[in-house]
Amino acid sequence: MKRFKLVVAYDGTNYCGWQIQPNGITIEEVLNKTLSDFLKEEIHIIGASRTDSGVHSFGNVAVFDSETTIPAEKLCFALNPQLPEDIRIVSSAQVADDFHPRYCDTRKTYEYHIQNGKIPLPTERLYSHLVIFPLDVEAMQEAGQYLVGTHDFKSFCASKTQAQTTVRTVTGIEVETHSLSEGEYPSQKVIIRVTGEGFLYNMVRIISGTLIKVGLGVYPPEHVKEILAACDRSKAGETVPAKGLFLKKIEYL
């Protein structure tokens, strides 16, 4: 028996998140069935990040155990034709038998994508949150720096969390822009990139909603310090829609 690691990219639009659940199809369910059918043995993968319904990924990580003799690095090429087009194995490798994707020290990077413009672009409708009023990206970048470090992020956590502690370490926040369209009503993509050692439920989406309020001039950048200190979810911005959130990468330290 060998343990294999997969790096998985997916479009989360048509899935009820990563983790198997009774109310709809999930990424984990599709991978389990595809691997079991292809390898002719019962496979149950273990995922590193249980992304929510509608969230996308460039690089979630999963492991599974198998007796297969297919070379580890070739598994991705063998599996991808068996998968639906909105799920792809980016890479595959053999790892130590005791490697667990959730119990190792990691650094995760998420991105939140915003289309900032008056006209909704069809190509962005499934992958970006539309904000029609101009965003002050410099103010958003300044505000984000108040969240870098080890803090109690209770203000930026959904109330139904089961986490034992709301203290987390954010190692970096960046806000950048890319042009999407020109003309009378130009549009740009604003990307909020958050890197940290661990995240609370909806934490990145609430951080993004708060930075959007800063970008719109509702809050001055320094107000984020007060929101953080309040440890009160009601003080922060809205939880923005899942469709703009991407799990960019997971680094094992």
Side-chain angles (χ1 to χ4, degrees):
M1 188 75 71
K2 294 178 287 187
R3 178 157 289 194
F4 298 90
K5 182 180 85 167
L6 307 177
V7 178
V8 189
Y10 47 86
D11 176 344
T13 304
N14 295 320
Y15 297 94
C16 294
W18 173 274
Q19 190 174 13
I20 289 177
Q21 50 187 288
N23 64 335
I25 192 167
T26 66
I27 305 296
E28 183 180 24
E29 178 184 349
V30 171
L31 288 173
N32 280 344
K33 185 178 187 308
T34 301
L35 284 162
S36 297
D37 291 347
F38 181 73
L39 298 174
K40 304 295 190 266
E41 54 183 310
E42 192 71 19
I43 300 295
H44 298 281
I45 63 170
I46 303 170
S49 182
R50 298 169 180 173
T51 53
D52 291 338
S53 178
V55 175
H56 317 291
S57 169
F58 292 115
N60 205 346
V61 173
V63 300
F64 69 94
D65 297 323
S66 173
E67 300 281 4
T68 184
T69 58
I70 299 173
E73 68 277 6
K74 301 294 186 183
L75 266 174
C76 56
F77 299 106
L79 289 169
N80 280 334
Q82 319 301 320
L83 289 164
E85 290 185 339
D86 51 7
I87 302 176
R88 281 294 177 266
I89 309 301
V90 177
S91 66
S92 52
Q94 186 175 346
V95 291
D97 293 347
D98 62 350
F99 176 81
H100 194 292
R102 288 202 299 274
Y103 300 149
C104 298
D105 290 335
T106 62
R107 181 167 53 236
K108 295 179 182 178
T109 299
Y110 285 90
E111 288 184 352
Y112 196 81
H113 291 202
I114 301 159
Q115 185 209 330
N116 190 205
K118 292 189 178 298
I119 307 298
L121 297 178
T123 52
E124 294 295 320
R125 75 191 192 284
L126 301 177
Y127 311 107
S128 296
H129 173 48
L130 179 67
V131 176
I132 62 173
F133 297 106
L135 290 170
D136 183 339
V137 173
E138 289 187 4
M140 294 168 70
Q141 174 70 33
E142 180 185 344
Q145 301 319 296
Y146 295 116
L147 300 176
V148 175
T150 301
H151 306 287
D152 187 338
F153 282 94
K154 189 174 182 179
S155 293
F156 298 89
C157 176
S159 56
K160 65 178 182 179
T161 183
Q162 297 179 345
Q164 292 183 342
T165 175
T166 49
V167 174
R168 293 293 185 272
T169 299
V170 170
T171 56
I173 295 182
E174 300 172 331
V175 185
E176 62 182 46
T177 61
H178 304 276
S179 176
L180 286 172
S181 66
E182 300 179 356
E184 185 176 358
Y185 298 108
S187 188
Q188 65 177 353
K189 175 171 283 189
V190 178
I191 298 176
I192 299 170
R193 186 176 299 111
V194 185
T195 300
E197 297 174 4
F199 293 92
L200 298 162
Y201 186 53
N202 284 348
M203 180 171 158
V204 177
R205 289 165 62 188
I206 297 169
I207 287 174
S208 298
T210 303
L211 295 186
I212 287 170
K213 283 202 165 187
V214 172
L216 292 172
V218 177
Y219 305 144
E222 59 271 17
H223 183 62
V224 171
K225 291 189 293 184
E226 298 175 27
I227 295 172
L228 189 64
C231 291
D232 181 346
R233 171 66 189 93
S234 68
K235 303 298 184 183
E238 67 174 328
T239 304
V240 285
K243 66 179 181 178
L245 184 62
F246 293 76
L247 173 56
K248 181 72 172 177
K249 62 181 177 180
I250 300 175
E251 302 167 273
Y252 287 87
L253 306 175

